[in-house]
Amino acid sequence: MKSIVATYLCALSFVSILPFCGGGIDRPSIKDLGLGEVTYQADDGVRIVASWAVPEGVATPPVVMLLHERDGTRAQWDEVGGEKVGLISILLDEGYAVLAPDLRGFGESNVVVRDGGEEPYELTNSADTVLDVKAAIAWLKEQGEVDASRIGLVGSRLGADLAYTSTAAFPEVQAAVAISPDAFNPDDLDPLFAIPDFCAHHVFFMAGSRPAWEAAATLGVRVDHVGGDRYEDRSDLDGVALLTIDQPIKDILTWFETRVLATPAPTKPTPRACTPGQ
């Protein structure tokens, strides 16, 4: 009976959930996609290296930017801990262009240009990663093939903190998914959270373990239009590893469908209209 019901639901499904019918999500490797590699420079001279892909047959698609974990790289969005993630290929199939940078200080984004010369770069202040998103948006605006006014962010851990903050910092960011973010602590004044008149919006929080979910909840109460879910309670399923199971992938696509994929993009709250926790 269960298989009959599943078949019936798949037959009625919208296009956006068809990849989930027939035994789970198909997760092609980025090795089969022939991703392009691009570089752009942040305001402070740090050179960012990123993977870039645009879906075939889609006119001016929206963009999803993927922001990895501390000590990780853009490769995490394809595979983590020997398990397939495949998020880039899934997003491309859904009609999104995808930009997956190595955040500053990680992977190949390890050079800063100063006084006309190149020097090694190390990340010492997490707040500087906001410059990575700013530079990425500026680069996207130069790409006439995409709609840089409709940007969604998916971030994990450090990238989750950055995605959450960026919804308030950049009007082009329509929505975000924050996986296993750090907890908000007003006493430590983390620069990623200490923004005047802060109004994060349209953020979906994901976590697996109870501590990770409780940390996410401390940010959720500060978000206008918030969503979220806690998934399997396993110590090995937090951060990007959560995306090795199907439901978080489905939730990303559902969250972005009306907030990023929709044309035109939905109206976002102004600071005066910001009502955290709604």
Side-chain angles (χ1 to χ4, degrees):
M1 176 64 71
K2 182 177 180 180
S3 61
I4 295 175
V5 172
T7 301
Y8 178 71
L9 291 176
C10 285
L12 296 179
S13 294
F14 293 109
V15 171
S16 63
I17 59 175
L18 289 178
F20 311 127
C21 299
I25 297 177
D26 184 24
R27 300 169 183 262
S29 171
I30 57 173
K31 298 176 183 178
D32 302 325
L33 299 177
L35 296 183
E37 186 171 281
V38 300
T39 61
Y40 44 88
Q41 193 165 299
D43 288 348
D44 59 353
V46 175
R47 184 179 297 152
I48 305 300
V49 180
S51 296
W52 171 242
V54 178
E56 295 182 358
V58 181
T60 57
V63 181
V64 174
M65 195 184 311
L66 305 179
L67 308 171
H68 62 73
E69 301 178 358
R70 183 181 295 274
D71 299 321
T73 71
R74 52 193 157 133
Q76 288 182 316
W77 303 109
D78 187 48
E79 183 176 305
V80 61
E83 296 291 331
K84 289 297 300 178
V85 176
L87 184 58
I88 294 177
S89 58
I90 292 168
L91 290 169
L92 286 171
D93 286 344
E94 292 294 314
Y96 298 93
V98 181
L99 184 67
D102 282 338
L103 295 176
R104 58 177 54 217
F106 305 107
E108 297 182 71
S109 300
N110 54 12
V111 171
V112 60
V113 179
R114 293 194 179 103
D115 301 322
E118 296 182 353
E119 303 174 13
Y121 176 84
E122 292 185 8
L123 178 66
T124 57
N125 182 356
S126 61
D128 290 341
T129 57
V130 173
L131 297 176
D132 296 14
V133 176
K134 180 181 179 182
I137 292 173
W139 182 84
L140 287 168
K141 288 181 176 180
E142 297 174 351
Q143 313 308 309
E145 59 191 340
V146 300
D147 184 352
S149 70
R150 292 185 291 149
I151 298 176
L153 303 180
V154 179
S156 180
R157 301 189 191 275
L158 170 62
D161 301 343
L162 180 56
Y164 161 82
T165 302
S166 294
T167 64
F170 304 107
E172 298 83 359
V173 177
Q174 303 298 327
V177 173
I179 309 169
S180 305
D182 288 333
F184 173 72
N185 183 352
D187 296 328
D188 66 16
L189 294 180
D190 186 322
L192 277 177
F193 301 141
I195 296 177
D197 299 321
F198 189 87
C199 184
H201 63 88
H202 298 96
V203 182
F204 190 96
F205 293 96
M206 295 183 172
S209 68
R210 179 177 294 277
W213 180 245
E214 290 174 348
T218 66
L219 300 182
V221 296
R222 304 181 73 231
V223 174
D224 186 278
H225 294 89
V226 63
D229 203 354
R230 180 184 174 203
Y231 303 92
E232 298 184 27
D233 189 0
R234 288 167 39 190
S235 60
D236 61 333
L237 278 183
D238 264 313
V240 175
L242 270 176
L243 302 185
T244 61
I245 59 178
D246 285 358
Q247 190 58 50
I249 298 285
K250 298 177 184 180
D251 289 342
I252 289 173
L253 298 180
T254 299
W255 189 250
F256 284 165
E257 185 173 11
T258 57
R259 296 167 177 86
V260 180
L261 193 60
T263 304
T267 302
K268 296 183 296 183
T270 61
R272 289 187 179 181
C274 185
T275 53
Q278 297 296 313

